[in-house]
Amino acid sequence: MKNFTCSCGQLLFFENTRCLSCNKDVGFNPSKMSMYPIELDAQDCSPKVCKNRLDYDVCNWLVTKSGASYCVSCELNQTIPNLLRADRRRWWKSLEQAKRRLIFSLLSLGLPVKGKSVEPNGLAFQFIEDKRTDPGVAEEYVTTGHLQGLITINITEADDVTREISRAFAGELYRTLLGHFRHESGHYYFDKLITNEGTRKRFRALFGDERADYKAALNQYYANKSTLCGDRDYISRYAQSHPFEDWAEVWSHYLHMIDTLETAGDYNLEQGAERFDEFGETIEKWAQLAMVLNSLNRSMGLEDAYPFIIAGKTLKKLRFVHDLIYPN
């Protein structure tokens, strides 16, 4: 993730809505992948401010599509939380911030980001909860997942305490909002990138046969997850559940890598990188940077920022993702 600079010279971060130096309102233009000062009330200009910023202050992107009211990220929303409740509104803001980081990465990589208004199986998001946290809603149980382009996030994932309880219960090393978005986007791009028999054969040689019964595989995983040992052929324990989940986990870790490497490069760290077309260099720099990140966290008394090992077949799986994004 890059940082940006205001016209006054002040550093701007990706989530900024205002420059802390000159006090100008700022916005991110996804068509130019840049951030700059804006006139918040000048809706007759182009590009204009996203309606979700004007109405709810949950977005800092600009509208680049003629005649639209929402930015390229917010227009993908199908369902949002109940905004009459202050905590849900805070959760929604966190969800939107994580989603925009995902969309930024996808756009940076040149991946197609088209909503369902453009194509039936396009990308969409719904942020909902179930009766466990709100007895007044219709849904009995909501799980974070993906179906035909629609990514569902249970909004309680935006609550730090609830998410940490879920992480500990599931025995996960890592669980974040951004991680959820990246993982579920992997399911979406499976159908976008693995489109011919050649890539499908390569996929099955690395990840296994995705035609295996998904529900049965997940049931077996959850019944036995407490006894599963780490396997270096898989990026995480959950990746062992089914080839689709293995793919989505590897995809999300690839996005973790390139975004963090870009951030490090933007701060002129020698372990950082801005170009990712050479996989060997990318993975070498990531190994160095992950060690630095983990060591810094330990110095602060925190758990490792990246508690995973990339080795063996996992490395080949990451290369497979890389080659799909950067075809020769």
Side-chain angles (χ1 to χ4, degrees):
M1 175 62 65
K2 292 181 177 295
N3 290 322
F4 306 92
T5 305
C6 181
S7 57
C8 72
Q10 174 69 25
L11 180 69
L12 296 174
F13 298 104
F14 186 64
E15 288 80 13
N16 280 153
T17 58
R18 179 170 295 179
C19 175
L20 298 179
S21 178
C22 67
N23 210 37
K24 291 179 181 177
D25 291 300
V26 297
F28 178 78
N29 185 334
S31 66
K32 296 184 177 180
M33 301 297 279
S34 184
M35 184 179 289
Y36 44 76
I38 58 172
E39 294 294 332
L40 193 59
D41 298 323
Q43 287 300 290
D44 56 341
C45 67
S46 181
K48 64 183 181 181
V49 178
C50 179
K51 194 172 187 295
N52 276 340
R53 177 170 182 173
L54 296 174
D55 293 348
Y56 305 111
D57 193 28
V58 297
C59 182
N60 68 341
W61 281 24
L62 303 178
V63 180
T64 55
K65 186 185 297 183
S66 177
S69 297
Y70 296 96
C71 71
V72 66
S73 177
C74 288
E75 72 175 1
L76 300 174
N77 289 345
Q78 180 170 296
T79 308
I80 61 173
N82 179 4
L83 302 185
L84 296 178
R85 300 183 59 172
D87 54 353
R88 271 50 173 179
R89 190 161 168 171
R90 288 195 303 271
W91 291 354
W92 183 37
K93 187 169 187 176
S94 297
L95 287 159
E96 291 296 338
Q97 287 178 339
K99 175 159 68 76
R100 286 194 297 274
R101 279 191 172 258
L102 168 68
I103 302 301
F104 177 92
S105 293
L106 300 178
L107 293 173
S108 296
L109 292 171
L111 292 166
V113 180
K114 297 179 180 179
K116 290 188 176 295
S117 61
V118 177
E119 57 181 49
N121 290 326
L123 189 59
F125 296 86
Q126 62 174 357
F127 306 134
I128 56 180
E129 61 183 312
D130 56 43
K131 290 184 179 295
R132 292 174 297 173
T133 52
D134 185 352
V137 301
E139 292 78 8
E140 290 288 341
Y141 189 80
V142 172
T143 58
T144 294
H146 166 270
L147 180 64
Q148 297 178 341
L150 178 62
I151 291 176
T152 299
I153 305 288
N154 189 317
I155 65 171
T156 58
E157 289 290 339
D159 178 65
D160 293 339
V161 174
T162 301
R163 188 175 62 254
E164 177 57 24
I165 291 172
S166 297
R167 187 195 69 82
F169 178 78
E172 297 171 336
L173 296 175
Y174 172 94
R175 189 183 182 106
T176 67
L177 266 184
L178 184 53
H180 280 309
F181 278 101
R182 287 172 173 164
H183 175 99
E184 299 306 334
S185 74
H187 290 299
Y188 174 72
Y189 283 101
F190 178 87
D191 290 329
K192 300 295 181 184
L193 297 176
I194 302 178
T195 57
N196 58 59
E197 192 59 28
T199 54
R200 199 168 293 273
K201 285 182 178 179
R202 289 181 59 203
F203 172 86
R204 289 172 182 166
L206 289 169
F207 296 87
D209 193 336
E210 79 285 358
R211 294 169 295 185
D213 189 302
Y214 181 78
K215 184 177 181 180
L218 266 288
N219 288 338
Q220 183 177 9
Y221 167 76
Y222 284 113
N224 300 292
K225 67 182 178 67
S226 61
T227 62
L228 286 176
C229 298
D231 187 331
R232 293 197 176 191
D233 283 346
Y234 297 92
I235 196 73
S236 69
R237 190 165 61 175
Y238 184 58
Q240 300 179 47
S241 61
H242 188 276
F244 276 145
E245 297 305 332
D246 191 8
W247 155 264
E249 284 287 89
V250 171
W251 173 272
S252 66
H253 279 255
Y254 185 83
L255 296 185
H256 291 334
M257 288 167 48
I258 61 168
D259 193 28
T260 311
L261 283 166
E262 184 181 59
T263 303
D266 217 42
Y267 281 100
N268 299 316
L269 298 182
E270 64 177 275
Q271 298 88 357
E274 294 184 1
R275 294 181 59 84
F276 308 102
D277 50 353
E278 210 296 299
F279 180 76
E281 181 182 359
T282 297
I283 207 71
E284 181 179 350
K285 292 227 172 187
W286 176 247
Q288 298 171 7
L289 183 59
M291 185 177 296
V292 172
L293 289 172
N294 290 341
S295 296
L296 288 171
N297 265 28
R298 292 178 186 185
S299 296
M300 292 292 294
L302 300 172
E303 295 183 359
D304 286 352
Y306 191 78
F308 303 94
I309 296 174
I310 298 177
K313 190 178 275 190
T314 295
L315 191 60
K316 295 178 180 179
K317 292 173 183 177
L318 285 166
R319 181 183 287 275
F320 177 74
V321 171
H322 178 89
D323 290 345
L324 288 174
I325 294 174
Y326 293 99
N328 294 328

